[in-house]
Amino acid sequence: MATTLDLWFDPICPWAWMTSRWALEVERVRDVEVVFHQMSLSVLNDGRDLPEDYREKMDRAWAPARIVNAARVEHGEEVLRDLYTAVGTRIHPGGETDWVRACAEALEEVGLPSSLLEYAEKDTYDAQLRASHQEGISKVGEDVGTPVVAVGEVAFFGPVVTPAPKGEEAGKLFDGVLAAASVPGFFELKRTRTSDPIFD
């Protein structure tokens, strides 16, 4: 039976995108099934004192988060994998800065109704978005962001990696981070980022 690798993402986070592409590669080389869940940088930063430019970004980030969440609520968790891939491909390697447009094109690509775009400015399903976010963040603590990855009771932020490893290199990274995160009392292993996300 495959091991479940749960991954919480925000659609606009480039580092969550990189981790998600790594996770899908792990699925190819290990007996692992990736299950996608939603978290939200807008929820995480709600009420926090932020620099003006980042506050503006978080205000804009509600729209794609709400659209993807509405799709999840109305059509089931299983739509997240393909919808996130379609949205993320447009935003990250595609460079689309109009996140609602990216969602509109993605919904069409995966065969979901365009009526879901109506939720971009509505808080109808915010309780469900906050609950999904809380499920992920509660596993790692409030002082991290997205992505959150969990395998059973072992959960961690990241891995933050670029470019996303391929083949056995992806599997080796999975083995290593899982082993490290499994050690009671292990909290952090970090170095300064020297590269922006490399989309390949």
Side-chain angles (χ1 to χ4, degrees), residues 26-87:
V26 170
E27 200 176 58
R28 292 180 57 245
V29 297
R30 295 291 185 270
D31 190 15
V32 163
E33 179 186 6
V34 182
V35 178
F36 287 89
H37 308 274
Q38 199 174 355
M39 60 186 302
S40 167
L41 289 170
S42 298
V43 170
L44 182 70
N45 289 291
D46 199 17
R48 292 183 178 178
D49 186 21
L50 302 171
E52 185 58 35
D53 59 336
Y54 195 67
R55 165 56 55 207
E56 189 270 336
K57 185 176 184 178
M58 291 301 96
D59 289 345
R60 289 181 57 231
W62 278 107
R66 283 171 167 160
I67 293 165
V68 171
N69 180 60
R72 176 179 75 86
V73 172
E74 294 192 357
H75 299 276
E77 299 279 344
E78 62 276 5
V79 304
L80 284 180
R81 175 187 290 246
D82 290 344
L83 180 57
Y84 175 43
T85 291
V87 172

Side-chain angles (χ1 to χ4, degrees), residues 9-12 38-40 42-43 59-77 79-80 82-84 86-88 90-91 98-108 110 112-126 128-129:
F9 68 91
D10 182 297
I12 70 154
Q38 199 174 355
M39 60 186 302
S40 167
S42 298
V43 170
D59 289 345
R60 289 181 57 231
W62 278 107
R66 283 171 167 160
I67 293 165
V68 171
N69 180 60
R72 176 179 75 86
V73 172
E74 294 192 357
H75 299 276
E77 299 279 344
V79 304
L80 284 180
D82 290 344
L83 180 57
Y84 175 43
V87 172
R90 287 165 171 80
I91 292 175
D98 183 335
W99 297 334
V100 173
R101 179 186 298 137
C103 290
E105 293 175 357
L107 289 170
E108 182 176 3
V110 301
L112 288 171
S114 61
S115 59
L116 291 165
L117 295 170
E118 298 171 8
Y119 292 100
E121 304 301 325
K122 294 180 179 179
D123 63 2
T124 309
Y125 296 131
D126 279 10
Q128 291 90 332
L129 177 60

Side-chain angles (χ1 to χ4, degrees), residues 122-192:
K122 294 180 179 179
D123 63 2
T124 309
Y125 296 131
D126 279 10
Q128 291 90 332
L129 177 60
R130 289 178 183 277
S132 182
H133 173 89
Q134 186 58 36
E135 181 187 9
I137 208 73
S138 68
K139 296 177 181 299
V140 291
E142 295 286 340
D143 60 339
V144 300
T146 173
V148 169
V149 172
V151 178
E153 297 303 310
V154 179
F156 47 90
F157 163 71
V160 175
V161 61
T162 192
K166 302 288 191 292
E168 184 56 24
E169 187 179 21
K172 284 166 53 179
L173 178 59
F174 173 73
D175 299 340
V177 294
L178 187 59
S182 299
V183 175
F186 177 85
F187 296 111
E188 191 168 351
L189 182 67
K190 188 170 184 176
R191 61 183 175 184
T192 301

